[in-house]
Each structure stands twice: as structure tokens, then as C-alpha cells.
């Protein structure tokens, strides 16, 4: 009997798994990848009596693979905050914690499941998922100082930043390796205070890439939307998501998007709904091939160059 941990390569997915493995340490087979690689369950070749944990990837995008696992005799524990599809698997070996509210994330669901045993890691994930108001409220209720709160926010943002890229070669760390480095710390503040090499490399890379990102040209701007364009370079693919989050934080009444050039004459698009009206990002993304995501944040994996103007028009009109 084997155990598999399948998780998104962003801050939320990693922090969710950190909490689970701190609560129940064991050697498992890890299945993960870049943040946008969400069809992860199909990579499994699990069999009867194997157990699979799936964290922070859409059940809707993995439903066939999950059904196959259940039919093969696996048990599946699914935790997520993305759209799960119209129905859930009806099998005694399937259990789930799914909540699609815009103010939650997978790590917060795991935190609730574990009754707050590793609460600070859940706060890290909230900040990483750009749930800043939620993270600040949780930190305040936990009696954390402003400095401690900012430290957790920085860690969450940097962990999220590491998940962005077209391939794992774009990243500073493979998400599985980053998980292994950070799960050694039950308290993320201890991780930050001890300043291991992995953390220093990640935080310095974030600062360098963000500095370049803020110099990116504005592709389109209106009273309700703002779109930046990044080049087809590894640093740009790494920074696209967190730059989109920060752009949204600085322009709370505007929908924001980062459009990154790709070598195949398409664009990688990261979309953020206005912070003051956190709905619609998924609807905009789903109007285009390879688009999808959540109400507050979504993306398009390969927007054809010929549809760029159409996308800019949708961005400027959808929230008007």
C-alpha cells in the first residue's frame, strides 16, 4: 500500500502539504509541477488499497483520472477551493474538503481540518494566494506582531512566485524540492529566522525579478482595467503571477492582467479581478481556449496572438 501526495506547485499547495505531513510524517510519492500544471492526477499509476491526497488542483480538470483511481480501488482525499464540477464522485473511498468562496484557499481548509495545529503555515498560504485581508486578520487574531505578519507575507509571496513558469526549468526550485526544504520547519518564522540557503536564494530571486517586472510596458489601460506585457524570458514567466497580484493590490478598483509572450506565437495570461469586486476572472479566461481558474484569479495558458486585441477588449468591458 502506497501513499501519493498530489499538489499544486504554488504556495497554497505546498503549505497545505506541509501541514498534512507535519501532522502525519511519512515518506510519500510526490506528484507536482509548475503552478499552471493542474492535470496532475493522471500522472499516477496507483493501485488497489493505495491512498492519494490531492491538494489545490481543480477536481473538474481531474475528474476522469480521479474516477479511474476510485474504480481501481484507491482511496482519495481531495482538498481544494476551485470549481469542482457539477457533481462529486459518489464512492465510499472518496472524501473531500471543497469550498469555492473567494476568501479561502486550500491551506485554510487543511488548517480547519487539523484544528489549527500549524496555523502559521496556513497564514503563509493565504498571503501567497493574495488573500491579504484574510492573512492579516488571521495573524492579528493569532496575536502576531506587524513584523511577524510581514515576514509570513513575504514568505508566502516568494513561495507563490516560485511556482510560476512554463516548465520547472524556469523555476528557482522544483516545487517538490522546495516542499522538502521547508517541511523541516514546524514554524515558518523559524525558517525565516534561520535563513537557510533555499530561502535566501528564493527571496533574492524574487526581488531581482520584481524590479524588472515593474519596468514592463503597459499594453492597455482603462478606468476599469490594466494590462502589462512581459517578454518571452524565464524571469518574466517566473514573475508574472506575483506581479499580477501586486498590480491588483495597487489598483484595487481595476481588473489587472499580465500578458507574457511565448515562443509559439501565443501569450501566457494571468488575470486578477478587482480586489474590491473579486468576481469574473474565471468568466473572462474561459472565453478563450486553454483559459480557466477561480472567480478572483484565473489565467489563459496559450492565448493565440490573433486574439490578443479581443482579450484586451474583454478586459476593458467586462467590469465596466
Amino acid at each position: 500500500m502506497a501513499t501519493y501526495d498530489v499538489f499544486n506547485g504554488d504556495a497554497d499547495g505546498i503549505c497545505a502539504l506541509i501541514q498534512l505531513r507535519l501532522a502525519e510524517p511519512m515518506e510519500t510519492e510526490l506528484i507536482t509541477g509548475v503552478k499552471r500544471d493542474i492535470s496532475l492526477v493522471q500522472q499516477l499509476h496507483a493501485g488497489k488499497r493505495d491512498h492519494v491526497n490531492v491538494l489545490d488542483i481543480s477536481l473538474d480538470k481531474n475528474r476522469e483520472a480521479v474516477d479511474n483511481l476510485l474504480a481501481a480501488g484507491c482511496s482519495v482525499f481531495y482538498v481544494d477551493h476551485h470549481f469542482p464540477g457539477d457533481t462529486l464522485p459518489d464512492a465510499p473511498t472518496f472524501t473531500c474538503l471543497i469550498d469555492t468562496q473567494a476568501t479561502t484557499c486550500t491551506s485554510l481548509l487543511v488548517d480547519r481540518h487539523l484544528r489549527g495545529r500549524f496555523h502559521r503555515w496556513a497564514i503563509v498560504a493565504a498571503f501567497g494566494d493574495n488573500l491579504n485581508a484574510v492573512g492579516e486578520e488571521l495573524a492579528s487574531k493569532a496575536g502576531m506582531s506587524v513584523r511577524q505578519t510581514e515576514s509570513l507575507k513575504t514568505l508566502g509571496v516568494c513561495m507563490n512566485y516560485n511556482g510560476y513558469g512554463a516548465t520547472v526549468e524556469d523555476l528557482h526550485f522544483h516545487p517538490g524540492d522546495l516542499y522538502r526544504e521547508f517541511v523541516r520547519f514546524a514554524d515558518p518564522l523559524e525558517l525565516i529566522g534561520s535563513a537557510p540557503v533555499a530561502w535566501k536564494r528564493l527571496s533574492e530571486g524574487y526581488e531581482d525579478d520584481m524590479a524588472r517586472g515593474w519596468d514592463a510596458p503597459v499594453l492597455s489601460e482603462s478606468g476599469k482595467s490594466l494590462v502589462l506585457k512581459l517578454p518571452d524570458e524565464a524571469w518574466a514567466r517566473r514573475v508574472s503571477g506575483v506581479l499580477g497580484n501586486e498590480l491588483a493590490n495597487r489598483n484595487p478598483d481595476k481588473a489587472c492582467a499580465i500578458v507574457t509572450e511565448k515562443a509559439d506565437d501565443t501569450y501566457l495570461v494571468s488575470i486578477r479581478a478587482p480586489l474590491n469586486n473579486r468576481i469574473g476572472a474565471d468568466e473572462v479566461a474561459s472565453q478563450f481556449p486553454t483559459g480557466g481558474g477561480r472567480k478572483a484569479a484565473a489565467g489563459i495558458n496559450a492565448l493565440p496572438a490573433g486574439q490578443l486585441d479581443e482579450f484586451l477588449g474583454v478586459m476593458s468591458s467586462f467590469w465596466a
Side-chain angles (χ1 to χ4, degrees):
M1 183 175 69
T3 299
Y4 298 83
D5 289 326
V6 186
F7 61 104
N8 195 294
D10 68 356
D12 193 19
I14 294 173
C15 290
L17 182 56
I18 286 174
Q19 292 176 83
L20 283 182
R21 288 293 146 251
L22 287 172
E24 187 178 3
M26 68 172 66
E27 288 296 321
T28 66
E29 183 169 337
L30 305 181
I31 306 293
T32 188
V34 298
K35 179 179 174 68
R36 291 178 182 272
D37 186 0
I38 59 172
S39 298
L40 294 172
V41 181
Q42 65 188 25
Q43 297 182 22
L44 269 71
H45 300 287
K48 189 174 182 180
R49 296 201 302 171
D50 288 343
H51 179 70
V52 181
N53 300 300
V54 188
L55 307 170
D56 198 40
I57 58 175
S58 167
L59 175 59
D60 185 50
K61 301 296 185 182
N62 290 271
R63 179 59 186 270
E64 182 178 356
V66 169
D67 286 343
N68 290 339
L69 288 175
L70 295 171
C74 296
S75 60
V76 177
F77 178 51
Y78 214 107
V79 191
D80 188 44
H81 64 133
H82 302 90
F83 174 65
D86 295 328
T87 62
L88 298 177
D90 182 16
T93 52
F94 178 82
T95 56
C96 67
L97 300 172
I98 295 178
D99 186 341
T100 61
Q101 292 184 81
T103 53
T104 195
C105 62
T106 301
S107 286
L108 291 176
L109 299 179
V110 172
D111 181 54
R112 188 188 311 165
H113 175 64
L114 296 176
R115 300 183 179 181
R117 288 180 62 186
F118 306 100
H119 190 52
R120 288 178 177 178
W121 277 114
I123 296 173
V124 169
F127 282 124
D129 238 25
N130 204 38
L131 299 175
N132 291 335
V134 174
E136 288 167 2
E137 181 180 1
L138 292 173
S140 178
K141 287 181 177 179
M144 301 180 67
S145 68
V146 172
R147 182 176 180 179
Q148 289 174 322
T149 301
E150 283 301 311
S151 293
L152 295 188
K153 180 179 181 180
T154 299
L155 177 59
V157 169
C158 288
M159 289 178 69
N160 209 50
Y161 150 80
N162 184 73
Y164 283 92
T167 65
V168 293
E169 286 72 27
D170 283 340
L171 313 182
H172 292 293
F173 296 95
H174 188 288
D177 294 335
L178 194 65
Y179 156 76
R180 293 186 184 95
E181 288 287 331
F182 287 2
V183 74
R184 297 184 294 116
F185 299 89
D187 184 349
L189 290 176
E190 181 185 348
L191 182 158
I192 296 167
S194 63
V197 173
W199 170 233
K200 292 178 66 177
R201 177 181 167 191
L202 185 59
S203 58
E204 290 171 359
Y206 168 77
E207 294 293 339
D208 290 344
D209 287 350
M210 282 294 284
R212 294 186 187 188
W214 285 122
D215 289 334
V218 174
L219 192 59
S220 173
E221 184 171 14
S222 69
K224 291 294 183 179
S225 68
L226 175 59
V227 182
L228 298 188
K229 184 179 181 181
L230 295 178
D232 178 21
E233 297 183 26
W235 73 264
R237 293 188 289 273
R238 285 195 300 266
V239 84
S240 63
V242 290
L243 182 62
N245 286 343
E246 186 56 31
L247 200 65
N249 293 336
R250 296 187 183 190
N251 300 273
D253 293 318
K254 291 186 178 183
C256 298
I258 304 293
V259 174
T260 306
E261 295 176 333
K262 297 175 65 177
D264 61 355
D265 203 31
T266 66
Y267 295 96
L268 179 68
V269 183
S270 181
I271 306 166
R272 300 292 180 269
L275 286 185
N276 292 336
N277 182 25
R278 297 172 67 93
I279 59 171
D282 56 340
E283 295 181 53
V284 169
S286 64
Q287 293 184 41
F288 301 90
T290 72
R294 296 179 287 114
K295 294 179 180 180
I300 305 170
N301 287 336
L303 177 72
Q307 291 187 282
L308 178 59
D309 287 342
E310 180 185 352
F311 169 73
L312 295 178
V314 173
M315 281 291 295
S316 65
S317 63
F318 186 87
W319 287 274

